[in-house]
Amino acid sequence: MASTTPCLALLFVLGIWAFQVSSRSIPEASMSDKFEQWMASYGRVYQDAFEKDKRFQIFKENVEYIESRNAGHTAKKYKLGVNEFTDLTNEEFKSMRNGYKMQRSTIVASSKTSSFRYENVTAVPSSMDWRSKGAVTNIKDQGQCGCCWAFSAVAAMEGITKLKTGNLVSLSEQELVDCDINGEDEGCSGGLMDDAFEFIISNKGLTTESSYPYQGVDGTCNKKAAANHAAQITGYEDVPSNSESALLKAVANQPVSVAIDAGGADFQNYKSGVFTGECGTSLDHGVTAVGYGEDDDGTKYWLVKNSWGTSWGEDGYIRMQRDIDAEEGLCGIAMEASYPTA
Ligand SMILES: *[C@@H]1O[C@H](CO)[C@@H](O)[C@H](O)[C@H]1NC(C)=O
């Protein structure tokens, strides 16, 4: 895949916004009450009345979108809801929150092994939740910095470190943002999990979150803070592309970094349930598959850890439909998955 687009296109969304603006009728007063309550609960302060009014209009459109989607699609397996992003347009949201560069083939991959160590795995458990095995740290929040790639790589590394050493240690995304700057990765401007693994290997490890805390902005590499390497990886492997069954074998064995198309309005406003789309396959976001299972009604899903705080989704997680007809998987989840080895 040699795409060099910065991968933020999902044009149908624009049409949806335009359509929603005029379509519903929640009284303005109750909407502004809702907005005031929302501002208070998320500690939002705007610089002036103009900005506040602009944000109110966007909030209103988002709430109307959420309510119409929830009401109009009763057959849907997921619900949308208000979260800390409800005053952002979808365009703003995508440019601030994602940051996966869809161009795996351009990486100079010196440390990657071409084998897939789980290829001969035959039996996998019917469900898996790496949280219950103590291999997943708390939900983190990348803030307004497009370094999803760092959060995804770190979560996968935290997982393999727990499996190898027995210790769950929260590791430093900021070290990647500040220090992994000589390859494809560009801090808050985007990057790739595979490139992060390359850096961690050549760097001989990564330090802890507490030694090198997250700032959410590009900074200068703090070599002193990074000096104490709390965990190491020895390599990484790509899951064969476009195979949910290969991805299943991998996730059955460890948390796995996955790239997805998270640019849609339904993804921005996802609240609960098994997400079934809408989304495309323009990979723009890096997250971590930390399990899988089956809903009460038999809908299969991937359990995915996001890095957008706990107000989004199911306390920061999303369940995404698994085993769909398209080989790419929902939102392209099976296209560019990889995991570190240790
Ligand atoms: C899978 O099995 C084949 C056939 O026995 C073997 O050649 C290959 O090395 C195995 N792969 C792994 C990753 O063990």
Side-chain angles (χ1 to χ4, degrees):
M1 196 169 328
S3 166
T4 52
T5 56
C7 44
L8 290 172
L10 208 61
L11 295 173
F12 74 90
V13 174
L14 296 172
I16 293 170
W17 293 120
F19 171 74
Q20 290 300 335
V21 175
S22 56
S23 63
R24 301 256 310 173
S25 56
I26 296 155
E28 199 80 353
S30 82
M31 186 62 86
S32 74
D33 287 349
K34 222 176 226 181
F35 184 55
E36 294 292 340
Q37 282 162 14
W38 178 88
M39 281 180 64
S41 65
Y42 290 101
R44 204 66 108 242
V45 178
Y46 299 109
Q47 59 187 13
D48 54 33
F50 177 82
E51 179 68 11
K52 184 176 173 185
D53 186 58
K54 179 179 157 192
R55 292 295 147 194
F56 172 67
Q57 292 307 326
I58 296 166
F59 177 88
K60 179 166 168 281
E61 286 167 29
N62 278 331
V63 169
E64 286 168 354
Y65 178 75
I66 289 164
E67 293 182 353
S68 74
R69 291 290 276 173
N70 285 346
H73 295 74
T74 45
K76 276 209 185 304
K77 300 193 176 305
Y78 63 94
K79 292 283 180 204
L80 306 184
V82 165
N83 58 35
E84 73 172 284
F85 314 123
T86 311
D87 67 341
L88 299 176
T89 67
N90 187 244
E91 290 303 309
E92 290 170 327
F93 180 73
K94 283 190 287 185
S95 64
M96 282 177 195
R97 284 281 164 167
N98 294 342
Y100 182 76
K101 294 165 136 191
M102 185 177 176
Q103 46 182 260
R104 168 183 278 184
S105 62
T106 66
I107 301 179
V108 182
S110 55
S111 302
K112 179 165 66 182
T113 38
S114 57
S115 68
F116 175 49
R117 65 183 50 205
Y118 302 122
E119 69 173 317
N120 296 330
V121 168
T122 47
V124 299
S126 61
S127 68
M128 176 54 73
D129 184 343
W130 286 111
R131 296 175 301 188
S132 68
K133 314 267 184 200
V136 184
T137 59
N138 290 341
I139 289 288
K140 303 182 186 183
D141 190 347
Q142 69 187 80
Q144 294 183 10
C145 167
C147 65
C148 61
W149 58 275
F151 284 86
S152 170
V154 163
M157 182 172 170
E158 290 166 346
I160 194 66
T161 301
K162 162 70 184 177
L163 296 178
K164 287 289 164 172
T165 68
N167 298 320
L168 182 65
V169 186
S170 185
L171 299 170
S172 175
E173 293 81 14
Q174 193 66 40
E175 182 177 356
L176 289 173
V177 169
D178 293 351
C179 307
D180 173 16
I181 51 172
N182 294 318
E184 286 286 318
D185 295 337
E186 301 176 292
C188 294
S189 302
L192 291 159
M193 288 76 89
D194 278 6
D195 235 38
F197 298 141
E198 289 280 345
F199 169 82
I200 295 164
I201 294 160
S202 66
N203 191 51
K204 300 192 166 45
L206 206 57
T207 194
T208 60
E209 189 84 65
S210 56
S211 304
Y212 202 148
Y214 189 62
Q215 306 294 330
V217 289
D218 291 307
T220 309
C221 183
N222 183 340
K223 295 222 166 63
K224 197 158 165 253
N228 163 35
H229 294 150
Q232 284 83 32
I233 57 174
T234 53
Y236 68 100
E237 296 175 355
D238 287 344
V239 177
S241 278
N242 298 333
S243 167
E244 286 194 277
S245 61
L247 184 57
L248 184 70
K249 292 176 186 178
V251 179
N253 283 283
Q254 65 180 95
V256 172
S257 290
V258 292
I260 56 173
D261 180 340
D266 277 13
F267 206 93
Q268 176 180 351
N269 296 299
Y270 166 79
K271 186 67 204 165
S272 63
V274 177
F275 185 71
T276 54
E278 300 159 350
C279 52
T281 56
S282 298
L283 307 179
D284 64 1
H285 191 43
V287 289
T288 315
V290 296
Y292 57 86
E294 210 173 299
D295 208 359
D296 292 341
D297 68 0
T299 310
K300 293 179 179 173
Y301 61 82
W302 297 109
L303 175 64
V304 173
K305 184 188 192 192
N306 202 351
S307 52
W308 293 345
T310 53
S311 86
W312 181 87
E314 295 182 328
D315 296 323
Y317 290 85
I318 181 171
R319 287 180 292 154
M320 295 176 62
Q321 191 178 14
R322 175 166 64 92
D323 283 354
I324 66 164
D325 283 341
E327 62 173 11
E328 299 90 349
L330 188 74
C331 314
I333 193 169
M335 292 169 71
E336 298 193 356
S338 61
Y339 52 86
T341 57

